[in-house]
Amino acid sequence: MTAIRRVLLVASIAALLIAGGMLALMMVETRANHPTATASNSTAGAAVGGPFTLVNGDGKPVTDRDYRGKLLLVYFGYTFCPDVCPTTLNNIAQALVQLGTQADAVTPVFISVDPKRDTPKVIGSYVKSFDPRIVGLTGSDAQIAAVAKEYHVYYAPQPGQNGDYLVDHSSLVYIMDRDGKFLKVFAGSLSGVEMADAIKPFVGSGS
Ligand code: NI
């Protein structure tokens, strides 16, 4: 069923300006089921991130507060994604390797935009296939809608053949500080080395 479409990664610009709390953000990636998304309208003047209640790979409810004290690397996607999500998760796993012991300061979180298929068990085992340190989170439709809204993440199921479907979604990786506040966003298409370089300045900052 998976006729994997050719990935067309347009060199991305994540131009991020934080000025007086204003955030301007331009995106990123052009391909069939990860369309170009411009978050600038929805993020201007609005905070990125916020409180959430979701369900982890063990089926236990978790909130954003459970992840305080470490940098959070937040990425949204789904386990049935044919290409961009696995590529991005692989890049994140490589970034952890690149960070070495500094990776202890980071918790990567993969939040499903396809909670119907991504049960806790499904997403929990999926992320572990990339790196056991990656946390897979899912939840009810309402919980996912709420957290996606907070991160200004676009997602939309696209009907396919035989009742199958893909989910269009924006593919940005967010770095949140140890108190859950937004620090930086970058494209999921960055290599592991590039991601590690993006993360390193925040590891020692104690922010
Ligand atoms: Ni994807």
Side-chain angles (χ1 to χ4, degrees):
M1 66 153 200
T2 52
I4 296 181
R5 297 181 199 173
R6 213 87 187 125
V7 178
L8 178 65
L9 292 176
V10 171
S12 57
I13 311 162
L16 183 65
L17 298 169
I18 305 171
M22 291 284 285
L23 178 70
L25 189 147
M26 293 175 66
M27 242 311 273
V28 162
E29 201 168 286
T30 303
R31 65 175 301 288
N33 72 331
H34 295 77
T36 299
T38 303
S40 53
N41 291 336
S42 56
T43 51
V48 173
F52 61 74
T53 301
L54 293 166
V55 180
N56 71 13
D58 297 323
K60 301 223 164 57
V62 294
T63 76
D64 54 294
R65 304 198 74 83
D66 293 319
Y67 299 101
R68 292 293 147 78
K70 288 197 179 190
L71 301 172
L72 269 196
L73 216 54
V74 181
Y75 180 63
F76 289 76
Y78 65 116
T79 67
F80 281 74
C81 181
D83 36 38
V84 171
C85 289
T87 301
T88 300
L89 288 169
N90 195 52
N91 294 341
I92 289 172
Q94 292 301 318
L96 294 175
V97 172
Q98 288 294 325
L99 285 168
T101 57
Q102 290 187 307
D104 294 345
V106 181
T107 302
V109 175
F110 182 56
I111 301 177
S112 177
V113 293
D114 184 16
K116 276 186 188 60
R117 291 183 294 194
D118 288 341
T119 63
K121 194 176 172 186
V122 165
I123 198 160
S125 61
Y126 180 74
V127 291
K128 280 181 179 33
S129 70
F130 295 92
D131 191 296
R133 292 170 286 188
I134 302 176
V135 174
L137 299 179
T138 187
S140 67
D141 288 345
Q143 287 172 332
I144 296 300
V147 69
K149 188 177 180 191
E150 287 182 334
Y151 280 83
H152 310 280
V153 165
Y154 160 84
Y155 68 104
Q158 302 297 321
Q161 294 173 335
N162 308 322
D164 229 345
Y165 61 94
L166 298 174
V167 183
D168 285 358
H169 66 95
S170 43
S171 37
L172 293 170
V173 179
Y174 304 85
I175 307 178
M176 312 301 287
D177 77 7
R178 292 164 176 83
D179 298 316
K181 299 221 166 45
F182 173 80
L183 290 172
K184 188 182 173 80
V185 63
F186 54 81
S189 55
L190 292 193
S191 71
V193 171
E194 291 168 330
M195 282 191 190
D197 286 345
I199 296 163
K200 275 175 188 168
F202 303 110
V203 169
S205 69
S207 61

